[in-house]
Amino acid sequence: VTGAPDAFQQKFAAKYPKLIEEQVASFQVVVGPGLPGAVDQLPTTAAAKIYHFISADERIKVSVSADFVSFSCEVYERWESFKEQALEAFFGFLEIYPEAVPARIGLRYKDLIVRENLGLQGTPWSKLLTPFVSGVFAVEDFLEEPLTVADEAHIQQASQATLRLDECGLLVQSTILRSADAKPQTAFLIDSDF
């Protein structure tokens, strides 16, 4: 996709009526010779454009650039629905731009688990998540007393794991999030990138 993807916009105008253009530039900063801490800036590469096609309710976004197409949804309900819409956008893109060769095809999803939204306040993370995901919250196997939600407030946790699966790689990142407002809440974020 070298210019504005007008054909894509026409094909999907009913589903994704909003269009936002984003221009991104990349550059590299290298600590160079000379004074300690001196920085040499290499020339900026040509700015690339990303076109974001967004549904009327702003829950779904299809992003298109010269080397990728991505499908994002803000409210995930069922795999079958997600898969159908993502494949429609992807195959629609390839139909319009048959010469396009995406550099990567991936699946990424983020799960944000808020115990209060599930009616599970007071339930320790170790009871809700597998040890692989919960990380240090699974340490109760090593403690004389199980961790309580009050104990969890003193734990900061972030983890990252890369796994090799049969057909692809998987990067799993997880962290604990705490609200900064008057209503204290804790959430657990699981970010999976296949």
Side-chain angles (χ1 to χ4, degrees):
V1 181
T2 54
D6 297 327
F8 190 87
Q9 188 174 22
Q10 289 171 359
K11 180 175 181 75
F12 290 103
K15 286 190 114 169
Y16 309 109
K18 298 178 182 183
L19 172 63
I20 296 174
E21 290 184 29
E22 177 183 7
Q23 191 152 354
V24 289
S26 62
F27 61 92
Q28 184 177 15
V29 176
V30 180
V31 175
L35 297 174
V39 174
D40 292 336
Q41 181 174 326
L42 300 179
T44 302
T45 60
K49 283 197 174 182
I50 301 174
Y51 301 91
H52 303 285
F53 298 90
I54 303 168
S55 63
D57 63 5
E58 299 185 353
R59 291 181 165 194
I60 298 176
K61 176 173 68 174
V62 178
S63 300
V64 175
S65 80
D67 61 351
F68 78 85
V69 57
S70 73
F71 181 84
S72 308
C73 71
E74 293 293 322
V75 178
Y76 177 89
E77 294 174 2
R78 302 217 28 95
W79 166 249
E80 293 80 8
S81 172
F82 177 88
K83 177 183 171 186
E84 180 182 325
Q85 293 176 76
L87 288 177
E88 178 184 34
F90 182 70
F91 288 126
F93 175 80
L94 291 180
E95 177 185 313
I96 295 165
Y97 306 102
E99 74 287 353
V101 180
R104 177 180 185 269
I105 298 173
L107 172 63
R108 183 175 188 184
Y109 65 90
K110 297 178 183 179
D111 290 314
L112 183 64
I113 303 166
V114 181
R115 291 182 283 209
E116 290 79 4
N117 293 354
L118 302 170
L120 297 170
Q121 56 273 21
T123 305
W125 290 117
S126 62
K127 301 294 183 207
L128 299 174
L129 304 167
T130 65
F132 173 76
V133 173
S134 63
V136 297
F137 292 102
V139 298
E140 67 180 37
D141 292 343
F142 304 105
L143 302 174
E144 291 179 23
E145 306 260 336
L147 275 176
T148 66
V149 174
D151 295 331
E152 291 177 354
H154 302 288
I155 298 174
Q156 295 295 321
Q157 188 266 348
S159 69
Q160 184 178 60
T162 305
L163 305 172
R164 182 77 192 139
L165 304 176
D166 290 341
E167 301 289 325
C168 67
L170 169 61
L171 171 65
V172 179
Q173 301 177 89
S174 63
T175 190
I176 194 79
L177 303 173
R178 292 186 173 84
S179 63
D181 57 13
K183 181 183 173 192
Q185 275 191 326
T186 304
F188 202 92
L189 175 67
I190 305 167
D191 181 351
S192 304
D193 191 356
F194 291 85

